Amino acid sequence: MNIVTEQKLHVTKPLNLKSGNVLKAYELAYETYGQLNAKKDNAVLICHALSGNHHVAGYHEGADKPGWWDNMIGSGKPINTDKLFVVCMNNLGGCHGTTGPVSINKDTGKEYGFDFPIVTVEDWVRTQKVLMDALNISKWQFIIGGSLGGMQAFQWTLDYPACVSNSIIIAAAPKLTAQNIAFNEVARQAIMGDPDWCNGNYLKNEKVPKRGLALARMLGHITYLSDKSMAKKFGRDLKEEKFNFNFDVEFQIESYLRYQGEKFVDSFDANTYLLMTKALDYYDPFNEVDFDKKITISNSKYLLLSFTSDWRFPPSRSEDIVKTLINYNKNVSYACINSDGGHDAFLMKNDNYFEVMRNFIENNIDG
Amino acid sequence: MARKDFKIISNWVKPNSKVLDLGCGDGNLLQILSKERNITGYGVDISIDKIIKSLDNNINVVHTDINKKLDYFKDKSFDYVILAQSLQVVDNPVNLINEMLRIGNEVIISFPNMGYWKSRLYLFLKGKMPITSELPFSWHSTPNIHLCTIKDFKEMCDLNQFVIVDEVISSNNDEKGSIRLLSNLFGESAIFKIK
């Protein structure tokens, strides 16, 4: 069993955020797996999604559950730590170690809370580059991410083209649709409408907007699954044998969603959730003024993956990215994986998915 | 072992050109072309197994159905669009060829000739749809829904104003002499370049 421990980087150089705000100093929490070779050409950056964190693989001391992508990353796995040095960082604004709303603002001596500035995908990429420099890595052999993580893997090739050899973008989209933003807004309203949110200052008031955050998670969770996978897992199964004709939990799916919501509240911060959804909403690289110039320079190889039952970021959204990359003559491959897993399929074991990953990675390990 | 039509296609393709291979299978043709002709480009296939194999062969490959509009690819954005031994499996050959002509400056198509004497003899003697080593399927469970002869193909080109600029009819070696005169009878497979 691989025991991993969190590491921290203290950064004192101020960070100019896309919003115009400045973060004077901040901490980045990260984990690494495998060994960086002498030539330093086997480094991999994993970018996490909305509710993810830097604990992507292996086990923390005494833990019974591994990191969130342990099926993909490890010895002999598609992202093979026998050959690769894997780095994953908790994104800025997060709530698992990197500076975010729950961290203490040195200027005030209190938690940032709702005062934490809005962060974007571009800001995350910038801070990942800060970590990269601190680790003395000059080029990532692979940058890999699913969903919001895929957006970061793409953005890297635009912002630091000389620093990426291969970008693997899984179940992502070039921008959110109105429907995607709508779901995010309902999630935000659930949180901000909870009286315990206290206008964002719940920490000062020693409260937690549990109801709102749980609701946001329940809503999100529905969009991560597919109709088919829910039907298969829960159907119309009841907790008890019969209808009780009341509003308590009766169907298994209700019980499951409530459990997911409650579990999430224990491990996630409501203001971080708000920030992450905003980062998603704002992302739209194709419509940035310098996109044409940036994508022209990119020399990265790309692999895009989508899943048939994903309706949050359906295959057509990945295909939009593929089309653009082909239009700019980039080295790009694309596979659409048959799966009932919905958006969350990118986190699940699937033979075709893993073979695509393994073959692409194996063939591009040495430049 | 390189397929016979791959060798001829490789002879036709100019060095350093940009190639799109529809129904690319394991990506072997693109591998040969990048080695021998230093081409760039993409393969396209509908089968995830073929995508996985193409990635193993380090080929750029796009997982999509060539029967649908190929809007991944812009007008005249490739030097060559190739359809090697897959014409017979497409839903609508004329639509696809029009789409290939939209995307590429030149189109290369290879296909098995159903007018080959062995196929004719098979049907004549057995009274059944030919089953050969290249086309090993029963009529009711075959992906090959649009088999044709060389004569059929040329008629289709005439009818749709597809201009044939080059053609090679390949046969087995014993029949080389006869092929010029009676290509539709002695050609096992055909390769056409059209514009």
Side-chain angles (χ1 to χ4, degrees):
Chain A
M1 202 180 279
N2 279 332
I3 302 295
V4 285
T5 41
E6 172 185 287
Q7 302 175 66
K8 283 211 172 160
L9 178 72
H10 303 268
V11 187
T12 48
K13 195 181 165 204
L15 180 73
N16 296 307
L17 298 165
K18 196 180 178 185
S19 63
N21 286 305
V22 179
L23 212 54
K24 280 193 213 155
Y26 55 96
E27 268 188 332
L28 301 173
Y30 65 100
E31 289 184 5
T32 71
Y33 317 84
Q35 297 297 320
L36 187 63
N37 65 16
K39 284 162 72 189
K40 296 185 176 179
D41 64 357
N42 68 333
V44 179
L45 176 69
I46 307 292
C47 305
H48 72 72
L50 195 145
S51 62
N53 56 49
H54 51 298
H55 183 38
V56 67
Y59 289 80
H60 284 158
E61 191 76 55
D64 54 355
K65 271 192 173 174
W68 56 268
W69 216 8
D70 193 71
N71 58 13
M72 182 67 86
I73 302 164
S75 173
K77 293 173 185 174
I79 303 172
N80 190 350
T81 50
D82 297 341
K83 298 175 181 174
L84 299 166
F85 174 65
V86 177
V87 180
C88 186
M89 183 188 109
N90 188 206
N91 283 334
L92 198 67
C95 53
H96 292 99
T98 289
T99 302
V102 294
S103 310
I104 301 293
N105 180 352
K106 293 222 166 74
D107 289 347
T108 63
K110 294 210 167 105
E111 292 97 349
Y112 282 97
F114 198 50
D115 294 336
F116 196 87
I118 295 265
V119 285
T120 63
V121 168
E122 292 88 339
D123 295 328
W124 288 336
V125 167
R126 184 110 49 91
T127 49
Q128 287 158 358
K129 176 70 164 59
V130 170
L131 177 64
M132 179 191 198
D133 293 342
L135 295 172
N136 269 317
I137 295 164
S138 57
K139 197 165 192 175
W140 299 109
Q141 194 59 34
F142 300 93
I143 299 185
I144 306 170
S147 190
L148 177 56
M151 293 170 171
Q152 295 157 57
F154 182 57
Q155 190 61 33
W156 260 93
T157 69
L158 302 176
D159 290 349
Y160 300 103
C163 300
V164 198
S165 294
N166 299 280
S167 171
I168 304 182
I169 301 159
I170 309 165
K175 63 182 169 204
L176 296 205
T177 59
Q179 190 194 48
N180 294 146
I181 296 169
F183 275 117
N184 280 349
E185 173 58 6
V186 176
R188 285 191 292 265
Q189 286 304 319
I191 292 168
M192 296 167 87
D194 185 334
D196 288 343
W197 185 63
C198 305
N199 294 318
N201 298 312
Y202 48 90
L203 293 171
K204 282 177 203 156
N205 292 289
E206 293 178 349
K207 288 199 168 143
V208 179
K210 284 187 179 177
R211 248 198 97 56
L213 183 56
L215 262 179
R217 180 59 173 178
M218 286 163 79
L219 175 73
H221 209 86
I222 296 166
T223 69
Y224 304 149
L225 304 177
S226 73
D227 192 17
K228 212 167 168 180
S229 69
M230 280 171 113
K232 213 151 99 187
K233 200 166 172 185
F234 307 104
R236 291 176 54 84
D237 293 354
L238 296 171
K239 276 203 87 177
E240 293 166 32
E241 299 284 291
K242 55 175 179 49
F243 290 161
N244 291 322
F245 297 101
N246 63 27
F247 291 97
D248 293 338
V249 168
E250 292 201 82
F251 290 92
Q252 289 291 1
I253 182 63
E254 297 173 299
S255 164
Y256 172 80
L257 280 178
R258 287 196 192 187
Y259 170 73
Q260 288 296 330
E262 283 160 20
K263 197 177 72 169
F264 191 66
V265 167
D266 294 335
S267 65
F268 215 84
D269 175 61
N271 283 331
T272 289
Y273 201 89
L274 296 178
L275 287 175
M276 299 285 155
T277 60
K278 286 305 273 187
L280 273 163
D281 291 0
Y282 288 129
Y283 192 59
D284 187 8
F286 292 177
N287 287 307
E288 295 283 332
V289 280
D290 50 0
F291 176 72
D292 182 78
K293 205 173 104 195
K294 283 183 165 182
I295 191 68
T296 304
I297 294 166
S298 166
N299 198 25
S300 172
K301 210 167 165 174
Y302 296 87
L303 171 66
L304 281 99
L305 280 143
S306 67
F307 299 90
T308 49
S309 58
D310 184 352
W311 58 280
R312 187 171 176 105
F313 292 153
S316 60
R317 314 307 318 287
S318 289
E319 288 159 15
D320 287 343
I321 301 176
V322 176
K323 266 172 219 168
T324 301
L325 292 172
I326 288 175
N327 196 18
Y328 281 93
N329 287 322
K330 300 297 155 189
N331 281 308
V332 52
S333 287
Y334 168 63
C336 177
I337 305 296
N338 199 9
S339 164
D340 289 342
H343 186 57
D344 266 355
F346 86 89
L347 297 166
M348 297 169 193
K349 206 166 186 315
N350 172 307
D351 288 345
N352 286 333
Y353 172 32
F354 277 42
E355 268 186 275
V356 166
M357 291 290 286
R358 190 184 293 276
N359 283 357
F360 183 83
I361 290 168
E362 285 289 325
N363 272 297
N364 292 291
I365 271 186
D366 302 306
Chain B
M1 256 287 285
R3 258 165 40 184
K4 207 186 276 177
D5 57 328
F6 288 180
K7 283 187 197 162
I8 295 156
I9 292 169
S10 182
N11 284 336
W12 279 356
V13 168
K14 291 195 185 90
N16 309 314
S17 49
K18 202 177 152 197
V19 175
L20 181 64
D21 183 8
L22 302 180
C24 68
D26 297 355
N28 291 336
L29 175 59
L30 287 169
Q31 264 187 313
I32 292 168
L33 293 178
S34 57
K35 209 167 110 192
E36 294 180 356
R37 293 285 177 263
N38 192 39
I39 62 103
T40 56
Y42 309 89
V44 173
D45 212 286
I46 193 176
S47 149
I48 187 67
D49 294 331
K50 301 294 185 194
I51 299 294
I52 288 166
K53 283 181 181 143
S54 290
L55 288 171
D56 201 26
N57 287 327
N58 221 354
I59 294 300
N60 290 329
V61 69
V62 177
H63 190 191
T64 193
D65 183 358
I66 59 172
N67 290 310
K68 292 187 183 147
K69 192 168 160 37
L70 294 167
D71 58 2
Y72 282 99
F73 311 105
K74 295 223 153 171
D75 295 0
K76 300 296 172 199
S77 56
F78 286 81
D79 297 307
Y80 303 96
V81 182
I82 300 173
L83 184 70
Q85 302 290 331
S86 295
L87 180 69
Q88 69 276 9
V89 304
V90 303
D91 288 350
N92 188 326
V94 172
N95 282 0
L96 181 64
I97 295 169
N98 274 317
E99 189 69 349
M100 291 169 80
L101 287 165
R102 173 186 70 77
I103 298 163
N105 291 319
E106 289 189 321
V107 163
I108 297 172
I109 298 171
S110 72
F111 59 91
N113 174 29
M114 287 308 283
Y116 183 52
W117 68 268
K118 281 187 185 170
S119 297
R120 298 191 196 198
L121 197 64
Y122 191 109
L123 182 60
F124 181 74
L125 290 178
K126 295 200 177 186
K128 289 165 66 160
M129 290 298 281
I131 297 175
T132 65
S133 54
E134 272 108 52
L135 301 167
F137 305 100
S138 305
W139 68 272
H140 51 83
S141 63
T142 178
N144 303 316
I145 53 173
H146 281 121
L147 290 162
C148 69
T149 70
I150 291 169
K151 206 170 163 182
D152 289 329
F153 184 83
K154 286 182 172 172
E155 269 180 25
M156 176 207 59
C157 287
D158 277 349
L159 204 65
N160 293 282
Q161 277 114 43
F162 301 147
V163 182
I164 296 168
V165 291
D166 210 341
E167 64 180 88
V168 172
I169 313 298
S170 67
S171 66
N172 79 49
N173 290 332
D174 309 338
E175 295 158 358
K176 275 264 150 62
S178 333
I179 201 159
R180 278 184 191 284
L181 287 170
L182 293 160
S183 63
N184 196 32
L185 189 57
F186 291 105
E188 248 183 314
S189 87
I191 309 172
F192 284 85
K193 196 197 292 181
I194 59 180
K195 271 192 166 177

